[in-house]
Amino acid sequence: MANTPLSRAMSGTVDPPLLPLPDRVVELLSELGSPPRLAAHLRAVHDVAHQLVDWVEQHCPAALFDREAVLFGAATHDVGKTVHVSELSGPGAAHEEAGRDLLLRHGVGPELARFAATHASWARSDVGLEDLLVSLADKVWKNKRVPELEDLVVARLAEASGRAVWEEFMALDEVLTRTGDGADERLAFQTSFPVHG
């Protein structure tokens, strides 16, 4: 792969150290000609999702979820911003359905494509732990705390572990605070890449 802003955003050596995007996502973003800043954002969220799933697996082994689905969802959740580029620097939700449709058209199954559409709608009754973790990673990567979302995650963890809600809240709060401490570096990484090619 050529040494382009897009390739560096997806898998280059960076400071802070971030895991590269999965090969399948690198191929997709390359094929779509995604904006480098979008790839940098997806990489940062994917890295944070890795931290969260590692923590959940260690802290609450009884919580059943699809690790790979969370990681893929985090790595592709905003892919619709390839089409709605203005939403990279401004508000908008058109990228959500567009992203799901884009993934479906590129051979991604509905069980994985859904994250592009659900990452901002965690309050729905049919949202699984995977969806909640993708949404959480998409918030905490920049140290944004959303109590309603965190309460939903805490409830799932307490249900799986049998521990008190307050215990799960304290544990989650600790990991989110620690993860949020790296937000400035991740934001600087993202903004170091151009919106256009």
Side-chain angles (χ1 to χ4, degrees), residues 17-154:
L18 297 172
L19 293 170
L21 286 170
D23 291 343
R24 182 178 182 191
V25 177
V26 168
E27 291 170 16
L28 176 67
L29 296 179
S30 297
E31 184 180 322
L32 295 172
S34 291
R37 184 166 297 170
L38 172 60
H41 169 68
L42 293 173
R43 184 174 179 184
V45 174
H46 174 259
D47 187 80
V48 167
H50 251 282
Q51 294 174 47
L52 290 176
V53 297
D54 287 349
W55 177 80
V56 171
E57 287 177 340
Q58 183 177 29
H59 171 76
C60 189
L64 301 178
F65 68 99
D66 184 337
R67 174 189 178 90
E68 294 309 311
V70 173
L71 297 177
F72 184 85
T76 59
H77 73 281
D78 273 348
V79 72
K81 291 183 180 180
T82 297
V83 177
H84 297 281
V85 178
S86 65
E87 293 184 14
L88 274 171
S89 55
H95 72 277
E96 295 166 11
E97 287 298 324
R100 185 182 58 115
D101 294 344
L102 190 65
L103 290 171
L104 291 170
R105 284 197 312 271
H106 281 83
V108 175
E111 71 286 352
L112 294 177
R114 76 177 195 264
F115 296 104
T118 64
H119 68 274
S121 36
W122 54 81
R124 293 184 7 224
S125 61
D126 62 339
V127 170
L129 182 57
E130 293 87 357
D131 304 88
L132 295 174
L133 291 172
V134 170
S135 299
L136 191 58
D138 189 34
K139 296 301 180 192
V140 78
W141 81 275
K142 59 183 174 183
N143 203 21
K144 182 173 184 179
R145 301 292 297 267
V146 182
E148 300 84 8
L149 172 58
E150 293 174 23
D151 287 348
L152 291 169
V153 174
V154 164

